Amino acid sequence: MGVKDRRVLQIIKAMLKAGVMDECEVNEEGTPQGGLISPLLANVYLDIMDEWVSKQWETKRTQYQYRKPQDKAPLKKTALIPGYLVRYADDFVIVTDTRAHAESWKVRLQAFLQSKMKLTLSPEKTLITDIRKKYIKFLGYEYKVVRGKGRRGYIPRTIPDRNRLKKNAL
């Protein structure tokens, strides 16, 4: 480990132990909620999950060589379960095509997180939603798809989170 690496680790350690304004001088409990370093550490730690999810579908190695790496049509004829991860820090969604596939992803991801990373999914926040019927809330926005002139007959609809707008208006 070089001098630069040790300095970076010292800075991270100092940030983790830094107190929380108007609460405590020294933080003994880890990363403060909303702290500057929290998203950075989440991104570093959850990179393992990103790779695992990607290897389940998007970058899955198969015996057959596809003409183009982005050609997923042949994969859809297999027993593989499609899924695309969208993540920012510790907030994420996995987009898939059916409820059964969503339930499979939830079970497999929970097992992976528990065994490899000693993490658990929050039961209150881990929801399965058909975004053709109901909005999902993610990163301060509400997302849904509605019938439209998209390739598959749907287009995305995104609006700011209405509950947050109401709170800020008060």
Side-chain angles (χ1 to χ4, degrees), residues 35-120:
L36 292 175
I37 198 163
S38 181
L40 171 69
L41 292 178
N43 284 332
V44 169
Y45 193 68
L46 291 175
D47 184 63
I48 298 164
M49 181 188 79
D50 297 353
E51 287 183 34
W52 181 82
V53 170
S54 178
K55 287 178 182 174
Q56 303 302 303
W57 173 250
E58 287 183 282
T59 60
K60 179 78 174 177
R61 290 188 179 269
T62 59
Q63 292 177 344
Y64 179 75
Q65 285 289 65
Y66 302 112
R67 284 172 282 174
K68 299 178 235 164
Q70 68 273 20
D71 183 11
K72 296 296 177 202
L75 281 175
K76 291 183 180 188
K77 296 176 184 170
T78 69
L80 296 175
I81 298 174
Y84 298 94
L85 175 70
V86 181
R87 182 176 71 78
Y88 177 80
D90 62 346
D91 291 331
F92 64 90
V93 295
I94 295 178
V95 180
T96 192
D97 57 352
T98 67
R99 181 169 195 81
H101 286 163
E103 289 170 357
S104 175
W105 268 109
K106 184 177 176 181
V107 169
R108 292 183 307 135
L109 182 60
Q110 179 61 55
F112 171 80
L113 290 172
Q114 184 65 49
S115 67
K116 300 291 186 203
M117 303 178 74
K118 307 299 182 228
L119 296 173
T120 56

Side-chain angles (χ1 to χ4, degrees), residues 99 128-136 144-145:
R99 181 169 195 81
I128 295 175
T129 306
D130 184 341
I131 62 172
R132 293 170 296 184
K133 297 177 182 173
K134 187 177 175 186
Y135 281 96
I136 62 166
K144 186 178 178 181
V145 293

